Amino acid sequence: MKASAESCANQGLIKYWGKTQERLRLPTNNSISVCLDGLRTRTTVEFSPEHAKDSFRLDGAGRDDERVVRHLDLLRSVAGSKLHARVESRNDFPAGVGMASSASGFAALTVAAAAALDLKLSAHELSRLARRGSGSASRSIPGGFTELLAGDSDEACYATRLASEDALEFRTLVVTVATTPKKVSSTKGMKITTETSPFFAPRLEYLNGALQAMRKALAEKDAAKVAELAEIDTMNMHATMITSRPPLLYWTGGTLDVIREVLALREEGVPAFVSVDAGQNPFVNTIPRQAETVRDRLAKLPSVASVLTCRPGGPAHLVAEHLF
Ligand code: DP6
């Protein structure tokens, strides 16, 4: 009853920010993302009568994580099991800095726990279950470029693949400007925005066109267009965050330094575009031919601690090597 899985984090390209239903994590809108092969989580889950309670360790440190226990409860209810679990996870990137560790974390946990419980589930079913842990985690299940269908029920809300990880010549630079955990979680921040921002309703109106344009850019394999549309959506989403009460300001001075440098690169004719999820660390999307130039320029900024170049990543999958 032990299994291990690996999953990539993902970057929202047309972003998810708002829920119509908290418990089931049903989003207000479809969202599109790309998996990032440089940001991975590996998780081992073992269900056994020998475990008196659930335990969870992340990167070697024990954690009291209610969300993990609730997710294990969900999987146990599907399997009709009462066994407790030992869970160990390892991230190859710092958690809580706006790099979607909850996405890779809950995707890997879902795939490993389902296998450990001997559940035979389709990718859609795994995606639906991963969503209950964290909305964006549903998009890490199919891998590549995926769309989370908002749906108005648990059954209708899962992620499907729009393009494989090899379909597009696309690179994402993951820029670290800080490694301090963010103060307002996505779950809490979304609630504040949907309830208070005057820009939230206009965002929902704009989203249909934005989603359509992104699907078209992906179908045409137009990497620069995909990157540009993600930047436009970043500014739109952060406008709703900033106009929330209290304002949600995920950006720091370092984030702004990177945005300004990206705008300067564009003036010079380099197709680089910024994308920021709910944190201070920006992604910079570009085409492979320009990735090195962009990386070198960003790495020179005093507020930048590191720059990691990622290719689009593949689906969440089982692995043979266990963490314990
Ligand atoms: C800004 O999936 O972390 O990164 O469902 O509440 O866990 P919960 O939220 P989460 O939200 C991610 C929001 C985002 C945009 C995106 O990835 O689409």
Side-chain angles (χ1 to χ4, degrees):
M1 305 218 86
K2 190 197 265 194
S4 297
E6 198 171 84
S7 171
C8 298
N10 67 73
Q11 171 200 173
L13 295 171
I14 298 294
K15 297 179 193 285
Y16 148 51
W17 194 250
K19 296 181 183 68
T20 54
Q21 224 268 32
E22 291 275 327
R23 192 180 60 85
L24 292 174
R25 285 183 198 276
L26 299 179
T28 47
N29 55 276
N30 288 23
S31 55
I32 295 176
S33 66
V34 58
C35 280
L36 301 166
D37 81 338
L39 305 181
R40 285 163 195 259
T41 300
R42 177 174 289 215
T43 297
T44 299
V45 181
E46 181 186 59
F47 288 93
S48 161
E50 282 172 16
H51 301 316
K53 58 183 186 61
D54 293 325
S55 67
F56 173 51
R57 287 174 83 78
L58 176 62
D59 293 329
R63 301 236 176 173
D64 257 343
D65 196 320
E66 231 184 85
R67 268 171 91 169
V68 169
V69 174
R70 259 187 280 142
H71 204 59
L72 291 168
D73 284 342
L74 175 67
L75 283 139
R76 275 188 286 257
S77 73
V78 176
S81 167
K82 291 208 162 11
L83 296 176
H84 289 295
R86 173 176 171 193
V87 181
E88 293 229 4
S89 265
R90 212 163 281 165
N91 281 335
D92 60 5
F93 57 99
V97 289
M99 295 201 298
S101 57
S102 69
S104 54
F106 280 102
L109 177 64
T110 304
V111 172
L117 287 166
D118 210 21
L119 289 167
K120 305 271 184 289
L121 301 174
S122 67
H124 284 179
E125 288 167 321
L126 286 168
S127 174
R128 273 171 47 204
L129 286 168
R131 188 199 78 239
R132 300 280 297 274
S134 185
S136 54
S138 61
R139 300 185 312 221
S140 282
I141 298 286
F145 295 82
T146 67
E147 177 161 2
L148 170 58
L149 309 172
D152 54 9
S153 67
D154 178 41
E155 290 71 31
C157 192
Y158 55 86
T160 58
R161 184 178 257 236
L162 293 176
S164 80
E165 57 273 29
D166 307 317
L168 252 77
E169 295 291 320
F170 191 80
R171 292 290 180 274
T172 299
L173 308 179
V174 179
V175 187
T176 307
V177 294
T179 49
T180 48
K182 61 192 184 201
K183 286 201 184 80
V184 184
S185 70
S186 295
T187 306
K188 204 167 156 204
M190 282 182 201
K191 198 164 168 345
I192 295 172
T193 298
T194 49
E195 287 171 359
T196 65
S197 171
F199 289 175
F200 190 68
R203 169 164 173 79
L204 290 183
E205 273 175 41
Y206 133 95
L207 274 167
N208 268 338
L211 286 158
Q212 258 174 43
M214 184 59 85
R215 286 183 208 115
K216 181 167 180 281
L218 287 170
E220 289 171 356
K221 304 188 192 315
D222 187 343
K225 191 74 193 170
V226 168
E228 184 186 1
L229 292 168
E231 181 178 288
I232 291 169
D233 192 57
T234 289
M235 299 305 171
N236 189 296
M237 178 184 73
H238 283 272
T240 71
M241 292 165 158
I242 291 166
T243 50
S244 301
R245 300 300 303 167
L248 292 171
L249 267 171
Y250 287 107
W251 296 356
T252 60
T255 319
L256 281 168
D257 291 344
V258 172
I259 295 174
R260 286 190 211 289
E261 192 68 1
V262 166
L263 293 178
L265 278 159
R266 281 232 292 288
E267 298 250 307
E268 296 164 30
V270 179
F273 298 86
V274 80
S275 164
V276 195
D277 282 345
Q280 62 272 68
N281 290 325
F283 300 111
V284 177
N285 295 311
T286 189
I287 53 174
R289 196 161 39 83
Q290 295 287 0
E292 214 177 305
T293 308
V294 179
R295 191 199 59 205
D296 290 350
R297 279 282 287 274
L298 296 175
K300 284 201 186 101
L301 296 174
S303 45
V304 167
S306 68
V307 185
L308 173 73
T309 307
C310 292
R311 292 167 177 264
H317 58 278
L318 289 168
V319 291
E321 207 182 301
H322 301 306
L323 291 175
F324 62 89

